[in-house]
Amino acid sequence: MGRTQFAVFASGRGSNFSAIYDQIHSGSIDGDIVCVLSNNKDAQVLEKARQWGIETLHQNTSHYATVAEFSSVLVHSMHERNVDYILLAGYMKKIPADFLRAFPQKVVNIHPALLPAFGGKGFYGERVHQAVIERGVKWSGVTVHFVDEIYDHGPIIFQWPVRVGDEDNAETLAAHILEYEHKAYPKVVRWLSKDWIQIQKNRTIYSGPEEEWILE
Ligand code: GRF
């Protein structure tokens, strides 16, 4: 099997992209990031990608007459680059259904809470952590999952809990969870590159070594 080809879709600062890139650089992932796509031409993530010599793409639905047209351009550019998996890392736009049909169970997302709690439409960015604090739950965490047509709903690949401290607010909790995101996402990318994740109905089955489940 050749090296797995990844595309990253992101809208903002790109710290998860950096974390994945670092692990590729260190050799723990048998794959490459072939391009970074953003809806936001000023996104920091594009700046980082340029610095590291990774191709950047700026694409937005507003550039096209219809979502279908946008989607087909996206599908074409992924096929052209032989992309195996699309990694959403803070991508703030909904992925068109046509695109998901072209890449079934090949689009992955990271969510900064333990799904299915605190997920779905409207749960993004600081709102997730605000809702966690307001509800008073004692654990939040990280979820990496495949993307389907419903927000935050596809098969879960990996989760890790993070304790909500009594003194936490949305900002401190976000920062603490982000540290674990940076460990969790590269781990899953490694697993995908090793072909250790299979899907059975709405569940994923992991066939890698048991010790890799632990986040240090
Ligand atoms: C992360 O918290 C991720 O869970 C969410 O968006 C944020 C992206 O952060 N989906 P970054 O751009 O990777 O720094």
Side-chain angles (χ1 to χ4, degrees):
M1 204 175 86
R3 289 171 71 78
T4 310
Q5 304 295 285
F6 297 96
V8 171
F9 288 12
S11 303
R13 74 192 152 187
S15 69
N16 278 288
F17 159 62
S18 303
I20 295 165
Y21 176 82
D22 285 349
Q23 290 305 308
I24 286 179
H25 208 67
S26 78
S28 76
I29 295 169
D30 298 333
D32 306 294
I33 298 174
V34 292
C35 63
V36 175
L37 178 142
S38 186
N39 56 300
N40 170 9
K41 71 173 172 31
D42 300 319
Q44 262 176 277
V45 70
L46 293 182
E47 192 48 46
K48 288 180 183 168
R50 276 185 216 112
Q51 274 172 18
W52 296 331
I54 296 172
E55 184 189 12
T56 59
L57 304 169
H58 171 224
Q59 288 288 1
N60 205 340
T61 20
S62 65
H63 303 162
Y64 300 92
T66 62
V67 175
E69 200 183 316
F70 168 66
S71 184
S72 86
V73 169
L74 240 54
V75 169
H76 184 72
S77 47
M78 294 301 110
H79 282 155
E80 227 174 28
R81 291 165 180 78
N82 295 316
V83 168
D84 298 300
Y85 289 97
I86 294 100
L87 309 172
L88 309 185
Y91 185 64
M92 300 302 277
K93 296 283 177 184
K94 193 162 168 57
I95 300 291
D98 289 350
F99 185 88
L100 293 175
R101 279 192 284 273
F103 288 95
Q105 293 162 333
K106 298 291 180 193
V107 182
V108 178
N109 184 42
I110 185 158
H111 184 77
L114 293 177
L115 293 175
F118 305 104
K121 198 168 167 44
F123 282 100
Y124 58 85
E126 203 165 294
R127 290 178 187 211
V128 176
H129 306 292
Q130 196 59 49
V132 164
I133 300 280
E134 276 168 21
R135 184 59 185 83
V137 296
K138 299 303 179 194
W139 291 94
S140 188
V142 177
T143 302
V144 183
H145 65 96
F146 285 110
V147 174
D148 66 11
E149 293 181 27
I150 304 170
Y151 276 116
D152 298 327
H153 176 268
I156 290 170
I157 305 170
F158 181 78
Q159 293 188 296
W160 194 258
V162 175
R163 169 132 193 266
V164 183
D166 295 342
E167 307 302 323
D168 265 323
N169 55 41
E171 199 182 328
T172 59
L173 183 60
H176 194 198
I177 289 179
L178 193 63
E179 286 176 32
Y180 290 90
E181 292 186 46
H182 294 164
K183 297 175 184 178
Y185 214 169
K187 185 185 273 296
V188 169
V189 174
R190 167 176 160 80
W191 294 355
L192 294 169
S193 78
K194 300 272 185 198
D195 211 17
W196 289 345
I197 303 295
Q198 309 307 325
I199 302 181
Q200 285 180 9
K201 291 189 183 157
N202 59 338
R203 307 179 63 206
T204 64
I205 307 295
Y206 168 73
S207 58
E210 210 40 49
E211 59 273 18
E212 289 223 10
W213 251 88
I214 306 303
L215 272 199
E216 282 130 35

